[in-house]
Every structure is written in C-alpha cells, then in structure tokens.
Amino acid sequence: MFRRCFGLIPALAWLAATGCISLNGAVPAPPPAPWGPVPSERQLRWHAMEFYGFLHFTVNTFTDKEWGYGDENPAVFNPTDFDADQIVRTARQAGMAGLILTAKHHDGFCLWPSRYTEHSVKNSPWRGGRGDVVREISDACRRHGLRFGVYLSPWDRNHKDYGRPEYLTYYRNQLRELLTGYGELFTVWFDGANGGDGWYGGAREHRRIDNRTYYDWPNTWRIVRELQPWACLFSDAGPDFRWIGNERGYAGDPCWATLDLTRPDRYPGGSSAGLENGERPGTAWVPAECDVSIRPGWFYHPAEDTQVKTPAQLLDIYYASVGRGCCLNLNLPPDRRGRIHENDLASLREFRRLLDATFATNLAADAVLEARAVRPTPARYGPQHLLDGDRATYWATPDEVLTPELIVRLPRATTFNVVDLREHLPLGQRIEAFALDRGQKGAWVEFARGTSIGNRRLVRLPQKLTTERVRLRITRAAASPALAEFGLYAEP
Ligand code: FUL
C-alpha cells in the first residue's frame, strides 16, 4: 500500500505537468474530434522521415541507358569499387532518413541472387557471382541508422511470362524474397511505368497490360502488410503515399495529404491529374512524395557529371517539397565504381550545410506566445506547445473557434526569412488558409499568406525581415485548428 502511494505522487505530478489532469481542479477538455481522413501510425512514421533517398543502380549504369530492354548480359553489371558504406554515409551526411534501392528496374535484372531467375547478380562477375547489392545496402543502412526500402519494378522486360498470369506468381515470389530476407523495410515502391516493348525471354515484342486489373494489387499489397507491417505502400494512388505527379521535386500549392480514392482513375499507373494538389476533403489520407534525381537522369551517365543540381537548386526543391508537407525522395545514382560521384557529394555537402545553418536555432524559441483562444485547459492545449519541438503536443482552440490568432512576442528585434508551421496530423488536415503579419510602428502589416500546412509548411520569404512581433492568423479552417509547431529561421 505504502509503495503504491509513494509512486502515486510523482505520477500525479507528471500527469499535471503534461496537462492530462489539473491539480487545481480544472479538467482538460477532450481533444478535438478528428476531421476528415487521418493518417495511420505507419504513415505518421513515414511523415516524420521528411527527407530520404533513391538509389537507381543496375545494368543501365553500365550500358548508359535509362530503360534497359531486358536482353542485357548480366556480365555487364560489374562495379569496380562498390562501397555500400560510402553510398549510405553520403546519404546520412546529407540528412536522409532512409534509402530506397532499385532491387529490380524495368530491365528485370535483380540486384540480389533471386532463386527465381538467372537474370541477376549471381551471373555477373562482380564479387565472383556471390554478390548481393540489396544485402550490402540494407546492412549499411542499419549500420548508419537509416531506414531501408525497395523498388521492385512491376514491368519486367526480361521475363518471358510478362503480360500473362504466370508472371504475377514470379513477381510475388520475388517480393517475398525481399520482404523476408533483408530486415525491416520502410517502403515498397511500386512504379507506375508499365507495358510496352521488351525482350520477354527472346520474344522481342510489344506487350500491353491493363494497369487496373493485371497486377491484382490488393492481393499483392496484402503480402506486404502481412510480412512487413511497417512498410508504406507507394504508387501513383497510394495507398500509403502517392506520387506527386511530376519528377521535378515540386509539390503543388496547396498540397493536401488527402485523395478521393473513389475516382475511377485512381490506381497504380492511373491518371496523374490532381496528384500535385491532392483532393479535399478526399476519402483517404494519401500524402505525397516528391521524387527527383540529383542529375537529369535516374541512372548514372558520365556525360551528366557536369549537370548535377546545385545546392541552390536542391534548396528550392526542399522548400517546394518538404516545405509543402511532402516527403522528398532525392535520387543519388551510384556510378560505375559503385560509389556516389564526387560532384554529387560536393553539392549535397553544401546543401546540407545551408540547411543546418538555417534550422540550427528556432529564433522564436524565447518568444512569449499569446493565443486569442485556447481550448481548456491551457496546460494541455496552450500555445507553449508550439515551441516544444514535439509534434505530439499542440495548441488547440474550442470547437467553435475556427479562425484564431497567435501573437509571437520576440524578446528582441529578430531577423528571419523562413516561417515553419506544422499541424498535429492525427487530428486530420484542418487548416485551409493562414496569413502572417509583422508588427510595424504599432500596426500589423501582412507579409505572407498560405493555404495547406499538414506535416510541414515552410514559408520562405524572398527577403529577410526584422521585427519584434509576428502574428499568425488562421483565416480558414474546416475544423478548429490543432497546430503543433511554430518556428522562425534565417537562411545564411
Ligand atoms: C519511373 C521509371 O520509369 C523511371 O525509370 C524511374 O525509376 C522513376 C523513379 O520512375 O516511372
């Protein structure tokens, strides 16, 4: 009994501190009811990654192509100095939270020694036919603290049965090998490019498939759910995250995390119309990934060594993807040595330096926040949660207050050009529009407006401004806002 009481007091103090109970008698209001579609726990983990990478690597790297025909001799795959640690370290130093490897691209060549085909690394001279790129990259990801995912092209220009039902068995067998042999996967990336001409076991013909029916996706997805419950399924239409509809790395503005999956053209390889902006209210939470290559092509081509995106271009992409609530999937193509090329490295390093210099300190960290409305009780729902760096806590208003204001009183005149906002995603994407003002000679002057927030909205101003007061006005919301974070930053 004594021991129980002894533990009760710190427990009560902790609950009071977190706002779950109030020791002075006020009972916190229940949290706002979720509005519209909401993310799963699996999707929330994906959202938290924000920035990860693609590795496009296969026979194309050696044949100088983007799409292999499927008749490539496995002997052409022969990296001279493959170094998974160099590749993964580069990604980690760039700030990536994970890597997705093209285990099999459209040419059908497997980067792992699949039991179901001879068209793989086991027939290449690399590592004497005993190599496994999927193993080496996934192990290196674990060593460096990155999550790992796979791209397994549904279209296979090598396989003789492509286009027939038998191919589906082959595809699922390969998928099972990847799902069971390489530890936890954070995603399986199902590409939408499909059908057309290919080698197809020597037939060398054109094969057309019906994207809606041929792959029987629901049953393939079920295999992933069963074997890798934390893996998010990617395709043009989700179900866990969607394509942004372009390969430039730019999200639309607004960019909603929801889609209307009742549309007949929403299936893998279906229409890209509407993907850049998403759909509101939508029927499902299907946030977008912006995929883009650091070079013009997805695979390494020596002629593109001088066309690596500059740090400034990468920053623009970051603000237009992560800064619009998406995840950024930046492709780094290993070269013929099996390493990330020095030019790509140099660009990534400077990009990272600029991001770190920008986001090292929240310039609003010591501000006094004044909210025009707070849901009872303030300990639980007050604006102080906007500065705690914790997306699980948030500022919320009573249900009927849809357009509240927040005043940020800075301890001194502060210069910034980036405003960082996050919604509390488990309650849905509630905010539809906002405006930002600065205090100037006793008045408020608007300096920015925006629409969707979702996982993150980075408002990047063309010029720095200096002020002691900032005001955030939520100008339109579908339900009372639940805002998790607020930050002010200055680009160097
Ligand atoms: C596309 C593919 O056809 C490209 O080769 C690349 O893999 C890109 C990420 O997706 O659909």
Side-chain angles (χ1 to χ4, degrees):
M1 184 59 197
F2 172 75
R3 278 182 53 170
R4 246 192 242 163
C5 293
F6 190 72
L8 196 63
I9 292 162
L12 283 174
W14 180 80
L15 285 170
T18 56
C20 290
I21 60 160
S22 164
L23 294 182
N24 60 18
V27 181
W35 182 87
V38 294
S40 65
E41 186 57 38
R42 184 193 297 126
Q43 289 171 314
L44 288 172
R45 287 192 187 192
W46 171 85
H47 273 295
M49 294 175 76
E50 288 190 7
F51 175 39
Y52 51 81
F54 236 157
L55 297 174
H56 272 69
F57 191 41
T58 189
V59 286
N60 295 344
T61 311
F62 303 89
T63 57
D64 220 5
K65 287 188 185 162
E66 279 290 303
W67 281 8
Y69 188 65
D71 62 346
E72 291 75 19
N73 184 338
V76 303
F77 184 84
N78 195 14
T80 53
D81 189 18
F82 181 78
D83 186 346
D85 277 302
Q86 191 267 356
I87 295 171
V88 178
R89 200 183 315 114
T90 300
R92 175 170 54 80
Q93 288 170 352
M96 293 179 174
L99 279 173
I100 305 169
L101 173 67
T102 53
K104 180 184 86 168
H105 202 252
H106 308 328
D107 50 78
F109 182 79
C110 299
L111 293 187
W112 81 104
S114 172
R115 278 197 289 142
Y116 302 98
T117 181
E118 291 304 305
H119 199 54
S120 84
V121 280
K122 72 185 169 201
N123 287 314
S124 107
W126 178 65
R127 305 249 193 275
R130 282 182 300 279
D132 183 343
V133 182
V134 182
R135 168 88 49 230
E136 293 198 31
I137 295 287
S138 60
D139 284 351
C141 279
R142 261 182 296 279
R143 277 198 295 280
H144 293 274
L146 269 71
R147 297 181 80 191
F148 177 66
V150 292
Y151 170 117
L152 183 68
S153 172
W155 183 23
D156 188 321
R157 303 173 93 188
N158 172 262
H159 202 267
K160 64 176 174 38
D161 289 330
Y162 182 77
R164 306 193 186 101
E166 291 80 359
Y167 171 73
L168 222 56
T169 308
Y170 172 74
Y171 185 76
R172 288 175 178 162
N173 281 337
Q174 292 198 317
L175 186 60
R176 280 195 196 89
E177 287 183 321
L178 294 171
L179 296 172
T180 55
Y182 300 94
E184 190 185 277
L185 303 179
F186 81 91
T187 183
V188 183
W189 212 95
F190 295 107
D191 194 285
N194 265 301
D197 62 334
W199 185 70
Y200 304 129
R204 295 186 181 277
E205 61 190 12
H206 191 96
R207 293 190 183 171
R208 179 164 295 161
I209 53 107
D210 182 346
N211 262 323
R212 267 167 313 177
T213 53
Y214 177 58
Y215 295 107
D216 179 25
W217 285 118
N219 281 311
T220 301
W221 291 342
R222 212 162 286 147
I223 300 171
V224 183
R225 290 286 191 246
E226 186 193 312
L227 297 173
Q228 289 280 347
W230 290 108
C232 280
L233 300 162
F234 166 92
S235 85
D236 305 274
D240 292 321
F241 64 98
R242 71 175 195 262
W243 188 39
I244 193 61
N246 68 68
E247 292 182 343
R248 292 177 294 110
Y250 278 69
D253 188 4
C255 185
W256 306 110
T258 45
L259 272 193
D260 177 2
L261 289 186
T262 63
R263 269 175 62 156
D265 56 351
R266 288 277 176 254
Y267 53 86
S271 163
S272 59
L275 294 181
E276 287 192 352
N277 296 109
E279 282 147 344
R280 195 149 169 89
T283 59
W285 188 272
V286 194
E289 177 202 86
C290 297
D291 64 330
V292 59
S293 185
I294 193 165
R295 290 161 171 249
W298 291 100
F299 288 93
Y300 175 80
H301 307 289
E304 293 180 356
D305 283 350
T306 52
Q307 296 175 61
V308 175
K309 289 189 174 62
T310 63
Q313 287 173 312
L314 293 177
L315 278 180
D316 287 347
I317 286 172
Y318 187 87
Y319 282 97
S321 55
V322 174
R324 292 181 188 164
C326 303
C327 279
L328 168 59
N329 178 3
L330 177 65
N331 179 60
L332 310 176
D335 62 16
R336 291 178 185 171
R337 293 170 302 175
R339 304 170 71 100
I340 303 301
H341 190 273
E342 288 67 15
N343 295 2
D344 307 47
L345 247 156
S347 189
L348 285 168
R349 242 186 227 137
E350 178 61 5
F351 162 68
R352 188 69 241 172
R353 190 190 69 77
L354 293 168
L355 274 183
D356 285 345
T358 303
F359 292 104
T361 329
N362 182 353
L363 301 171
D366 301 324
V368 174
L369 302 184
E370 195 184 296
R372 282 295 146 81
V374 175
R375 194 175 186 86
T377 61
R380 174 108 177 239
Y381 298 114
Q384 70 278 10
H385 294 303
L386 293 168
L387 297 175
D388 63 6
D390 180 357
R391 50 180 99 191
T393 62
Y394 53 95
W395 163 48
T397 62
D399 287 347
E400 64 281 8
V401 181
L402 268 57
T403 55
E405 289 178 13
L406 173 83
I407 294 172
V408 180
R409 292 184 200 284
L410 299 157
R412 64 198 77 84
T414 302
T415 302
F416 62 90
N417 76 319
V418 177
V419 183
D420 191 355
L421 303 168
R422 277 185 200 283
E423 279 185 272
H424 180 65
L425 300 184
L427 296 178
Q429 193 160 11
R430 308 161 77 89
I431 297 172
E432 296 182 332
F434 63 92
L436 289 156
D437 310 317
R438 65 164 148 165
Q440 201 179 8
K441 295 184 193 138
W444 290 112
V445 179
E446 186 179 299
F447 65 85
R449 299 175 154 259
T451 51
S452 55
I453 297 177
N455 185 57
R456 196 170 186 190
R457 165 65 80 156
L458 294 171
V459 179
R460 189 191 196 188
L461 307 171
Q463 268 149 20
K464 287 187 182 159
L465 62 85
T466 303
T467 183
E468 286 182 16
R469 282 175 306 144
V470 173
R471 182 170 70 172
L472 167 70
R473 280 177 290 129
I474 305 300
T475 53
R476 200 170 66 239
S480 61
L483 200 68
E485 293 299 311
F486 178 93
L488 297 177
Y489 298 95
E491 287 189 86

